[in-house]
């Protein structure tokens, strides 16, 4: 992040931002420009950005007892560690939680969605940055992308190196996320995941590397944009955003990945265990073997909705193969094919769809 090493550039950038952003701060097509109060000298105040902190490596430090990283840093401390932020925006912090994102649940994301929507509903708020762990950031950002009612920008960010690291990537990511919220270039992108300068849509993003700072990719769909030297460059518009009401409670939906020799026992168990829906990560273009096919027919006969996704990274699930368990047969028997949506996101979408429409196959199919 050049700003930290070059105070002159920081001042120039602050001057530039106060000259360019103030008059029509954050002019977004979908959302009305937020009200920005005048400061004493009559110039417009900087945009107001709410940072909602949930935990993750960005907020983790080494525990001297175990030597492992644990969430300890508050949202306020995260903000305090970012040089030059005050020149970009006025910041309000909401400490929503402080957990490793391996502990996140759809219920916790529902609460987060309500908190973020409440902040966005305030006319003076330009947008929200959510700090979150990277392990489930792709899924969490997708849940909010589907359930938020506001069109204002929401940027998920985090870190791959924790706050005890000599090379923490968190402060730079947080700076860029706030800059993105304040930038007119970031309109109509819905919820994004922005780390290491790259901007991904919540629908297409996946974590691709376990430790490298350049871990989030959007595969064949590509990045929405890139941030460098205080500027947001827009590469692409957002293609598709599915939106559903946020229900009070979420139905039980299982997610299973099939494998060679799978006897279908886990599918049958999920049905007997009360799942209302099951998402199965099939192989190839969305195929399962004969034993799993039998278990799928058992699930369908019990009124359980079955969605087929794939373990394959690129491409989409297609009704191509006609043998017992092939995608064509699964679709003919009433399964929904997840298209290009990864299995864990398909599970969240099925949960929201079932809560909104019940087991209405036609309406649910239209979501995928
Ligand atoms: N385990 C961490 C988490 O997801 C990983 C990270 O944030 O990079 O919360």
């Amino acid at each position: 992040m050049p700003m930290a090493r070059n105070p002159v550039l920081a001042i120039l950038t602050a001057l530039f931002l106060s000259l360019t952003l103030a008059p029509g701060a954050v002019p977004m097509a979908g959302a009305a420009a937020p009200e920005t109060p005048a400061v004493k000298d009559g110039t417009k105040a900087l945009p107001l950005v709410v940072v909602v902190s949930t935990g993750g490596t960005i907020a983790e430090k080494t525990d001297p007892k175990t030597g492992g990283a644990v969430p300890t840093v508050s949202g306020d401390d995260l903000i305090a560690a970012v040089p030059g932020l005050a020149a970009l925006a006025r910041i309000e912090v909401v400490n929503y939680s402080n957990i490793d994102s391996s502990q996140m649940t759809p219920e916790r994301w529902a609460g987060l969605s309500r908190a973020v929507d409440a902040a966005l509903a305030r006319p003076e708020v330009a947008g929200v940055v959510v700090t979150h762990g990277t392990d489930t950031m792709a899924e969490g950002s997708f849940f909010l992308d589907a359930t938020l009612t506001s069109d204002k920008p929401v940027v998920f960010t985090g870190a791959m190196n924790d706050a005890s690291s000599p090379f923490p990537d968190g402060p730079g990511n947080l700076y860029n996320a706030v800059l993105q919220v304040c930038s007119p270039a970031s309109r109509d992108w819905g919820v994004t995941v922005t780390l290491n300068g790259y901007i991904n849509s919540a629908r297409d993003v996946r974590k691709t590397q376990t430790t490298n700072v350049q871990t989030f990719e959007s595969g064949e769909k590509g990045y929405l944009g890139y941030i460098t030297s205080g500027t947001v460059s827009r590469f692409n518009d957002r293609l598709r955003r599915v939106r559903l009401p946020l229900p009070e409670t979420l139905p039980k939906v299982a997610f299973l990945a099939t494998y060679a020799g799978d006897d279908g026992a886990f599918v049958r168990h999920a049905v007997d265990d009360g799942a209302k829906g099951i998402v199965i990560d099939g192989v190839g273009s969305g195929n399962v073997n004969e034993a799993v096919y039998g278990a799928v027919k058992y699930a369908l006969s019990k009124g359980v909705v079955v969605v087929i996704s794939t373990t394959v990274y690129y491409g989409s699930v297609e009704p191509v193969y006609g043998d017992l368990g092939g995608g064509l047969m699964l679709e003919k028997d009433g399964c929904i094919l997840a298209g290009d949506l990864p299995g864990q996101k398909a599970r969240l979408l099925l949960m929201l769809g079932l809560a909104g429409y019940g087991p209405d196959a036609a309406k649910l199919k239209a979501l995928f």
Side-chain angles (χ1 to χ4, degrees), residues 54-60 69 71 99-104 132-137 158-162 169 195 207 210-211 215-216:
T54 72
T57 296
I58 192 172
E60 297 189 20
I99 59 172
D100 191 276
S101 75
S102 50
Q103 309 302 328
M104 272 292 175
H132 192 287
T134 61
D135 291 353
T136 61
M137 189 186 289
M160 294 300 287
N161 303 328
D162 68 38
D169 52 329
L195 268 85
K207 185 175 182 178
T210 56
T211 56
T215 185
F216 284 109

